[in-house]
Amino acid sequence: MIIDLTVVWAFVIAFAVFAYVVMDGFDLGIGILFPFFAVGRERDSAMNTVAPVWDGNETWLVLGGGGLMAAFPLAYAIILPALYAPIIAMLLALIFRGVAFEFRWRDPGHRRWWDVGFTVGSVVAALAQGITLGALLQGITVEGRSYAGGWWDWLSPFSVLVGVSLVVGYALLGATWLIMKTEGQLQDHCFRLARILGPATVGCIVLVSLATPFLSEEYYRNWFTFPQVLFAAQVPILVAVASVLFFIGLARRWEYWPFLITLALFALGLIGLGVSMFPYVIPGAITIWDAASPEKSQLFMLVGASILIPIILAYTAYSYWVFRGKTGHEGYH
C-alpha cells in the first residue's frame, strides 16, 4: 500500500489547527468574557484556571503555521500576502494579550488597564482568526502561482460573520471550561452565560453552514450531490444531536459534558470545512497536491513530526494532569 504523504500532511495540519482551537480556544474565551466577571475573586479565579497552561496551548499554532510553510510552500506563499492584515492583527493581539496576562499580577496599580488589554487582545485575536478562515473559505484570487487580489479582499460580510461566530464560540468554550474548573458563585455565573452563548453559537453555526455551500459551485456539489451527500449529511445531523445534548447537560448542571460537547461542535465544524474544501488548499485554485513540497522533503519532515508531536502531546497531557481539579482565587501559577 502506497501512502500519499501529501494527504498525510493535510491531516497533520488539520490536527494541529484543531488542537490549537481545543487548547487555546477556551483561554481566549475567558479573555472575551472577562468584562462580565466581577473585579476581584471572579477574575482572579478565571485567570488561575488557565495560568499554568495558556502559553503552552499556542504551541499548536506554531506547528500548524510551520507545517503549512514546509509541507505546502506554494499555498503559504499565496495565502500569506492575501491575509497579511488579519494574520498580523492576530499575532499582535496574542502578544498584547500575553503581556497583559503576566503584568496584571505584577503591576496591581494598573490592573484595570491590563484587564482591558487582556480582553481587547483576546477579542481581536479570535475575530482575526475567524476572518482569516472566512476569507480563505470565500476564495483567494490567484493568477499563475501568485496572489492577484487586493489589500482588502479578505474583508467581506461572510468573513466578518465567521469572525464574529468564532468570538461567540470561543466565549462559549471559556464559559464551559470555567463551569468545569470552578465552583460556587463563578460557576453559577458561567452556567448563566453558557445558557446565552449556547443558542448564540448554534445560531452562528447554522448561519455559516447555510452560507458556505453558496460561496462556490464546488462547495455546493460537495454538500448536495449524490453520493457525497450521504456523508456530508451526517455533519448537520451530528451538530443537531450534540446541540440537544449540550442543552440537556446545562439544564441538569453537568460540569464536564458542556465543555466536551462544545469541543465536539468545533470538531464537527472542522469536518464541515474539510467537506467544503477538500482537496483544495486554496478553494477553486490550488489543490493540496499542486501546493505540496517535494516528496523527500515531506518524508524528512514527517519523521521529525512523528517524534515531536507525541512529545508535545505527552507534555500537554502531563501539564493538564498536574493542574487538574478545581482552582481557587489565590496565587498565580
Side-chain angles (χ1 to χ4, degrees):
M1 179 180 176
I2 300 175
I3 298 175
D4 189 331
L5 292 178
T6 301
V7 175
V8 172
W9 265 106
F11 278 98
V12 168
I13 292 173
F15 174 76
V17 171
F18 180 66
Y20 172 74
V21 170
V22 169
M23 300 292 177
D24 209 30
F26 63 81
D27 66 61
L28 283 170
I30 289 173
I32 294 165
L33 293 175
F34 221 54
F36 299 96
F37 299 142
V39 176
R41 286 195 173 195
E42 280 202 357
R43 292 189 178 186
D44 293 346
S45 295
M47 277 288 197
N48 280 340
T49 64
V50 294
V53 295
W54 75 273
D55 44 359
N57 293 341
E58 293 173 359
T59 303
W60 297 102
L61 183 63
V62 177
L63 181 62
L68 180 68
M69 180 179 67
F72 302 103
L74 177 59
Y76 187 85
I78 294 172
I79 291 172
L80 201 63
L83 301 174
Y84 267 142
I87 289 175
I88 290 173
M90 177 193 71
L91 294 175
L92 290 176
L94 288 175
I95 293 169
F96 193 62
R97 174 178 175 275
V99 172
F101 196 112
E102 299 290 344
F103 273 55
R104 75 178 299 275
W105 295 93
R106 300 298 181 187
D107 183 22
H110 299 91
R111 182 168 293 173
R112 175 185 173 190
W113 296 109
W114 294 124
D115 286 353
V116 172
F118 181 57
T119 298
V120 171
S122 300
V123 171
V124 172
L127 186 65
Q129 288 174 16
I131 287 176
T132 299
L133 175 61
L136 181 61
L137 257 177
Q138 73 187 7
I140 292 174
T141 305
V142 178
E143 286 184 7
R145 295 168 64 86
S146 304
Y147 174 59
W151 175 252
W152 292 100
D153 283 9
W154 54 270
L155 186 61
S156 70
F158 179 76
S159 66
V160 173
L161 170 65
V162 178
V164 172
S165 298
L166 200 62
V167 172
V168 175
Y170 279 171
L172 179 63
L173 270 176
T176 52
W177 167 263
L178 291 176
I179 288 172
M180 191 171 61
K181 295 291 290 182
T182 64
E183 51 194 355
Q185 184 177 340
L186 179 56
Q187 189 188 55
D188 292 339
H189 191 173
C190 290
F191 268 115
R192 292 194 296 274
L193 289 171
R195 290 189 188 102
I196 298 170
L197 292 166
T201 300
V202 173
C204 288
I205 292 173
V206 171
L207 288 176
V208 172
S209 301
L210 289 176
T212 300
F214 299 98
L215 291 174
S216 76
E217 292 183 8
E218 185 77 21
Y219 292 170
Y220 190 89
R221 282 197 299 272
N222 289 346
W223 279 100
F224 296 118
T225 57
F226 188 85
Q228 292 97 314
V229 68
L230 297 178
F231 170 75
Q234 307 306 312
V235 179
I237 291 172
L238 289 173
V239 167
V241 171
S243 301
V244 170
L245 290 174
F246 176 83
F247 293 118
I248 292 174
L250 279 187
R252 297 185 179 182
R253 290 182 66 86
W254 293 342
E255 293 189 350
Y256 291 90
W257 282 106
F259 178 70
L260 297 175
I261 295 171
T262 305
L263 290 182
L265 287 172
F266 272 86
L268 289 168
L270 185 63
I271 293 172
L273 178 66
V275 170
S276 297
M277 287 183 58
F278 190 83
Y280 287 94
V281 64
I282 299 176
I286 306 289
T287 68
I288 57 174
W289 295 284
D290 295 333
S293 57
E295 187 177 3
K296 288 184 178 178
S297 299
Q298 289 187 342
L299 182 59
F300 177 76
M301 293 183 297
L302 194 60
V303 172
S306 64
I307 298 171
L308 187 63
I309 291 177
I311 292 173
I312 298 173
L313 287 172
Y315 159 76
T316 303
Y318 182 68
S319 299
Y320 279 82
W321 173 256
V322 168
F323 294 100
R324 68 189 182 279
K326 304 288 185 181
T327 55
H329 67 279
E330 305 90 354
Y332 172 56
H333 283 239

